[in-house]
């Protein structure tokens, strides 16, 4: 059961209109027996498509960010839930600092969305 997820970018109220990276959050230590869950809610959309990736790093400064989850590009309201990573699929690059990165496929787009992660 997931008790709490951490939103890595909260764009529910104000739509984003350009590519960018979210704030880096310290989600906590990764240890044997954990699972990493990821989800994305696209609440409103315009033309083109939105690509969202979740990255992590051992540095709170964002150095050496590694893609961990990549959501399917979408041009519509949707929700996605990715297969959880387990200690069997987590690598040594799996770290405690996380952020989201969003890219829009054409100019003039506008999206409201919330990507989230949970380490359990």
């Amino acid at each position: 059961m997931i008790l709490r997820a951490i939103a890595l970018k909260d764009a529910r109220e104000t739509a984003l209109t350009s590519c960018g990276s979210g704030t880096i959050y310290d989600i906590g230590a990764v240890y044997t027996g954990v699972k990493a869950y990821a989800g994305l809610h696209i609440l409103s959309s315009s033309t083109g498509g939105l690509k969202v990736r979740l990255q992590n790093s051992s540095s709170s400064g964002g150095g050496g960010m590694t893609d961990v989850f990549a959501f399917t590009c979408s041009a519509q309201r949707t929700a996605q839930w990715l297969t959880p990573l387990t200690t069997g699929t987590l690598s040594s690059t799996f770290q405690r600092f996380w952020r989201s990165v969003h890219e829009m496929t054409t100019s003039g787009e506008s999206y409201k969305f919330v990507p989230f992660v949970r380490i359990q």
Side-chain angles (χ1 to χ4, degrees):
M1 173 195 307
I2 294 179
L3 300 176
R4 184 179 71 124
I6 298 169
L8 297 177
K9 183 69 179 177
D10 187 352
R12 291 177 297 170
E13 299 298 323
T14 303
L16 297 178
T17 58
S18 62
C19 301
S21 299
T23 302
I24 297 171
Y25 294 96
D26 183 348
I27 307 217
V30 177
Y31 51 88
T32 302
V34 301
K35 292 181 182 177
Y37 297 87
L40 171 68
H41 290 281
I42 299 178
L43 306 169
S44 69
S45 64
S46 61
T47 62
L50 176 68
K51 297 178 185 178
V52 177
R53 294 174 287 131
L54 303 185
Q55 301 178 323
N56 71 4
S57 174
S58 61
S59 168
S60 62
M65 290 303 248
T66 302
D67 288 351
V68 178
F69 290 103
F71 296 97
T72 305
C73 183
S74 182
Q76 61 189 3
R77 291 176 50 177
T78 188
Q80 295 180 41
W81 180 256
L82 298 182
T83 302
L85 299 177
T86 64
T87 51
T89 56
L90 299 175
S91 70
S92 61
T93 60
F94 188 78
Q95 304 294 333
R96 65 185 302 138
F97 298 100
W98 289 73
R99 74 174 177 191
S100 68
V101 175
H102 55 279
E103 303 168 7
M104 295 164 193
T105 58
T106 60
S107 63
E109 295 181 49
S110 173
Y111 286 93
K112 290 183 179 180
F113 64 97
V114 179
F116 58 91
V117 68
R118 169 68 180 150
I119 307 299
Q120 178 179 336

